[in-house]
Amino acid sequence: MVRTYKRRFCLSLGLSALGSLAMGFGATTAAQADEVWPHPGKAIRIVVPLPAGSGSDVAARLLAKLMSDELKGHPVIVDNKPGASTFIGAQDVARSPADGHTLLYTIVITHTQNPHLYAKLPYDPVRDFTPLTQVMKSATVLIASPNAPFNNLKELVAYAKANPDKLNYASYSPGSTSHLNAELLQMRTGIKMLHVPYKGATDASRALVAGDVQLYFDGTASAVGLIKAGKAKGIGSATPTRVSALPDLPTIQEQGVDGINIVGWQGVFGAGKMSPALTDKVSNVISKASRSKEMLALIETQGNEASGAGAAEFARIVASDSMKWGEVIKAAGIRLD
């Protein structure tokens, strides 16, 4: 299945995004909407398949404002359609015309995890979407409840092995990055923990702070806030290098456990089969907005890393991450049908 997705992503890249290699995705001068989008009088709608007020929603709303500014006031609106592991919002965009007026601002799970977790999706992750721009790279940080009897990864593993089946961990939903990273941790260290899924990141964070669960692979922005407030202990980051907002917190790899460093992301997709010319133009506008001072400041505040990768590069990233997560999900034997 993983090889099939790789071939299809490469085909999609050739059809919809290859042209941007030639044009690049550098800064452009301010553009008129009618120079890019085919229907000048039609608003641009950014669908966010996550709740209003979430970190991704905040970023999408700033992106919408910046795009509108770049397009000299052309309306760019955000439409939240949360639920069902991003299915609802993704399906909306998948069924939309390929004119660039309906965009999807989503996280890594929609295109790289869901296809391996569910036998039947209400969308095709390749055919129904055109990768446009990777806005930012994100990651998770392993945090522990304040009263947990360990302070680093070595102590955590020792405690887990001495107290089998005593540890539990939260996730913000089954099959989410928070769940998969915990599965990876168990596979890499040989420990066993109980999975306690919640209905969203807010509930999972609250459960950890309250001591209802002992561990949680939290989003960077939330984890940084909880650690700095003394409401959680930082155990390690699931990143190739240390999180800039937590320079004293070692990565999990630094602490002797390899393989738990698959970085997540947030990015923008259009509907499938957008023309190469339209793909390049829309991607350039989004990429410029995502590299603005305002967006860079927000990304830093959230503890994430700026990207701005254009259509062709983003398509390659999606294909590669789909392969990586597919291997993890298969090895862990997780199915959510």
Side-chain angles (χ1 to χ4, degrees):
M1 181 176 180
V2 172
R3 292 179 179 175
T4 300
Y5 274 101
K6 183 179 181 182
R7 288 196 298 269
R8 294 172 70 201
F9 270 116
C10 289
L11 176 60
S12 176
L13 169 61
L15 291 175
S16 63
L18 194 57
S20 65
L21 282 172
M23 291 186 65
F25 44 84
T28 60
T29 57
Q32 294 279 7
D34 58 7
E35 296 173 354
V36 179
W37 275 264
H39 308 297
K42 185 178 179 181
I44 300 162
R45 183 170 63 103
I46 301 177
V47 176
V48 179
L50 300 158
S54 63
S56 298
D57 173 67
V58 171
R61 290 182 184 278
L62 177 58
L63 181 68
K65 175 188 176 300
L66 294 168
M67 288 175 62
S68 181
D69 291 345
E70 171 67 12
L71 298 172
K72 299 183 178 180
H74 188 83
V76 183
I77 61 175
V78 171
D79 186 4
N80 293 91
K81 294 203 168 184
S85 192
T86 72
F87 286 7
I88 297 173
Q91 186 176 26
D92 181 332
V93 177
R95 293 177 173 177
S96 299
D99 58 9
H101 286 275
T102 303
L103 306 174
L104 178 70
Y105 186 100
T106 192
I107 56 178
V108 67
I109 67 173
T110 308
H111 293 83
T112 71
Q113 296 172 358
N114 284 348
H116 306 285
L117 292 166
Y118 299 90
K120 294 182 179 180
L121 291 177
Y123 60 86
D124 185 296
V126 179
R127 183 192 64 218
D128 294 341
F129 298 93
T130 302
L132 295 172
T133 305
Q134 183 189 52
V135 175
M136 68 181 82
K137 299 176 184 178
S138 56
T140 57
V141 175
L142 179 59
I143 57 175
S145 60
N147 59 354
F150 42 79
N151 298 295
N152 55 49
L153 190 61
K154 183 178 179 180
E155 293 176 358
L156 185 163
V157 172
Y159 176 84
K161 290 183 176 179
N163 299 273
D165 301 320
K166 291 286 184 69
L167 276 182
N168 53 31
Y169 70 92
S171 78
Y172 57 80
S173 70
S176 63
T177 303
S178 58
H179 177 197
L180 296 178
N181 273 334
E183 290 289 339
L184 262 176
L185 180 65
Q186 293 181 96
M187 291 163 57
R188 302 295 186 189
T189 60
I191 65 175
K192 293 187 179 299
M193 301 184 292
L194 175 65
H195 178 208
V196 184
Y198 288 86
K199 295 180 179 179
T202 300
D203 289 345
S205 295
R206 287 174 180 167
L208 181 114
V209 171
D212 296 333
V213 294
Q214 291 135 324
L215 293 167
Y216 175 38
F217 275 95
D218 198 2
T220 308
S222 175
V224 169
L226 292 176
I227 292 169
K228 289 187 174 181
K231 295 181 179 180
K233 297 180 183 181
I235 301 299
S237 60
T239 52
T241 58
R242 295 191 183 191
V243 173
S244 58
L246 297 169
D248 297 327
L249 181 67
T251 68
I252 291 175
Q253 185 169 345
E254 283 182 90
Q255 298 179 69
V257 180
D258 295 329
I260 310 179
N261 55 5
I262 306 177
V263 175
W265 42 258
Q266 299 177 27
V268 183
F269 295 78
K273 298 180 181 179
M274 284 176 59
S275 71
L278 179 60
T279 294
D280 291 334
K281 291 177 181 179
V282 175
S283 176
N284 286 340
V285 172
I286 299 170
S287 293
K288 183 176 181 181
S290 70
R291 291 195 186 99
S292 69
K293 291 182 179 179
E294 297 94 326
M295 182 60 77
L296 292 177
L298 175 65
I299 292 171
E300 182 178 359
T301 298
Q302 292 184 340
N304 294 319
E305 180 183 347
S307 174
E313 184 179 356
F314 188 29
R316 286 193 293 270
I317 291 168
V318 175
S320 175
D321 285 357
S322 180
M323 288 184 62
K324 292 175 183 177
W325 283 120
E327 291 169 356
V328 171
I329 291 165
K330 182 178 179 180
I334 303 171
R335 297 294 294 184
L336 299 179
D337 297 305

